[in-house]
Amino acid sequence: MFDPVPATRPSAGLAVRCTRALLSPWSRFSLLVAVLLASAVGMLLFEPQRLLASGWPPQLTGSAAAMLFGVAYGVCTVAFVPRPLLNLAAGALFGSQTGLAAALAGTVLGAGVSFMLGRVLGQDALRTLLRGKWLKAADGLLSRHGFRSMLAIRLFPGVPFAAANYCAATSRMGYPPFLLATGLGSIPNTAAYVVAGSQATSPTSPAFLAAMGFIVLSGVGGALIAWRRRHRLGGGS
């Protein structure tokens, strides 16, 4: 009798090969790169940080507006909008307390989305590139001491926000310690920028001056810590 199965086997094999190719680590990494490039281009073209600061609908007020701002904040961080600009906007729009809550919620949301994208689309491919001494050291710290290392990164802003998210996603760090360390470690600097934004109309007020002083000191501290770690890694070669 005529057997129709062999005629379908080549097409089935082709479908399996195409599926494997699309789901391969480097295909997923290519998709991640495309998403990030599209986000960066969108940020440059539409400048969403200006929309949040000056184009915010006046009819949106209260907790609903703060929640919507937090969601928009998270999306903007994924699109590489600098967090200091968003934190200043949060303070200018909602004041210190509500602005801080909205900014922290957006920070954790944006970090979580970036971490998920990096983990699902980029981890398998990027881990094959961990050959450099600094990369291996960072991977080891985040994998073994994830919460402590990420907390230090967030407290001292020496590493860009997006870079820290994707570096953590490449490591074996878990979701809960990453999100918890991000939320706790981001409080001081986020609060300083939010307070500065809320007091921007009074640049000589004690609150504004204290916030700006903290921002400068934390930046200098982060630079010193980064220099010391780099010096130690260089001395170990």
Side-chain angles (χ1 to χ4, degrees):
M1 295 181 60
F2 175 72
D3 184 6
V5 175
T8 62
R9 283 175 181 170
S11 60
L14 178 61
V16 171
R17 289 194 297 271
C18 290
T19 301
R20 288 177 178 174
L22 290 174
L23 296 179
S24 66
W26 287 105
S27 294
R28 285 182 283 137
F29 178 70
S30 299
L31 177 60
L32 175 63
V33 172
V35 170
L36 297 182
L37 286 176
S39 300
V41 171
M43 182 202 72
L44 294 175
L45 291 178
F46 299 106
E47 297 184 340
Q49 68 275 16
R50 290 190 178 182
L51 175 64
L52 291 181
S54 58
W56 192 253
Q59 63 271 21
L60 288 176
T61 58
S63 57
M67 292 176 61
L68 181 59
F69 180 91
V71 174
Y73 183 116
V75 174
C76 286
T77 59
V78 177
F80 304 105
V81 175
R83 286 183 60 249
L85 296 178
L86 299 175
N87 292 332
L88 292 171
L93 290 171
F94 301 105
S96 298
Q97 296 182 356
T98 305
L100 176 59
L104 286 176
T107 296
V108 175
L109 174 63
V113 172
S114 298
F115 187 90
M116 180 189 67
L117 287 174
R119 178 61 55 90
V120 173
L121 298 179
Q123 185 188 43
D124 293 339
L126 290 176
R127 286 197 66 83
T128 63
L129 303 178
L130 292 176
R131 298 187 180 91
K133 181 171 55 178
W134 291 357
L135 293 176
K136 288 183 178 179
D139 176 65
L141 284 174
L142 291 172
S143 297
R144 294 191 302 270
H145 310 289
F147 176 81
R148 184 175 66 188
S149 300
M150 184 53 58
L151 184 65
I153 289 173
R154 300 306 193 193
L155 285 172
F156 298 99
V159 179
F161 184 73
N165 294 336
Y166 292 108
C167 185
T170 305
S171 72
R172 294 183 175 89
M173 185 180 185
Y175 282 91
F178 171 78
L179 294 177
L180 182 59
T182 295
L184 293 177
S186 299
I187 291 175
N189 280 282
T190 302
Y193 277 100
V194 170
V195 169
S198 67
Q199 300 293 322
T201 56
S202 304
T204 58
S205 64
F208 181 85
L209 294 176
M212 293 304 298
F214 181 86
I215 291 170
V216 172
L217 289 177
S218 63
V220 172
L224 289 175
I225 291 175
W227 179 83
R228 288 185 61 185
R229 289 192 175 276
R230 178 177 179 180
H231 181 71
R232 287 179 182 177
L233 287 173
S237 59

